[in-house]
Amino acid sequence: MKLGNDLIKKKFDEIDGQIDFMIELCHTLQLENQELLLKIKNFETELDKKKETEDEYLDQQALIHSKIDGLLTKLDDFANSDPEEASSNL
């Protein structure tokens, strides 16, 4: 009977070691998961800032195009105007 008890104790010790390993692995994975979640949050914040900067750039670009179109329209109007009419406006 002693041999059976020793075998059972040995098996329980093996299982206990495996459980300790699994618990340690779970803690390691939890820490890694927290680090990855923090990285994701930082990437999302960075992406939001980049989107905001891009939107500002596109707004500036649209304003510049609008101003250029206005100037080109003025130049076209000037180029197509009657020279006598232009001198009478002075």
Side-chain angles (χ1 to χ4, degrees), residues 27-47:
H27 286 294
T28 302
L29 291 174
Q30 286 174 340
L31 290 174
E32 185 178 337
N33 191 38
Q34 288 175 347
E35 290 172 4
L36 291 173
L37 289 172
L38 183 61
K39 278 185 177 182
I40 288 171
K41 188 170 184 144
N42 289 338
F43 285 144
E44 287 173 343
T45 301
E46 188 176 321
L47 181 61

Side-chain angles (χ1 to χ4, degrees), residues 25-84:
L25 181 61
C26 283
H27 286 294
T28 302
L29 291 174
Q30 286 174 340
L31 290 174
E32 185 178 337
N33 191 38
Q34 288 175 347
E35 290 172 4
L36 291 173
L37 289 172
L38 183 61
K39 278 185 177 182
I40 288 171
K41 188 170 184 144
N42 289 338
F43 285 144
E44 287 173 343
T45 301
E46 188 176 321
L47 181 61
D48 287 342
K49 287 179 184 177
K50 287 183 179 186
K51 283 181 181 177
E52 187 177 308
T53 302
E54 183 180 4
D55 288 343
E56 290 173 5
Y57 172 77
L58 290 175
D59 288 345
Q60 286 178 345
Q61 193 175 19
L63 178 65
I64 290 169
H65 282 291
S66 173
K67 297 280 187 182
I68 289 172
D69 288 344
L71 292 172
L72 289 174
T73 301
K74 281 184 180 180
L75 286 173
D76 272 349
D77 291 346
F78 177 76
N80 293 330
S81 68
D82 186 13
E84 289 180 20

Side-chain angles (χ1 to χ4, degrees), residues 6-19:
D6 288 342
L7 185 60
I8 292 172
K9 185 181 180 316
K10 183 179 176 184
K11 285 290 182 190
F12 273 112
D13 289 342
E14 287 175 12
I15 292 171
D16 189 42
Q18 290 174 345
I19 289 174

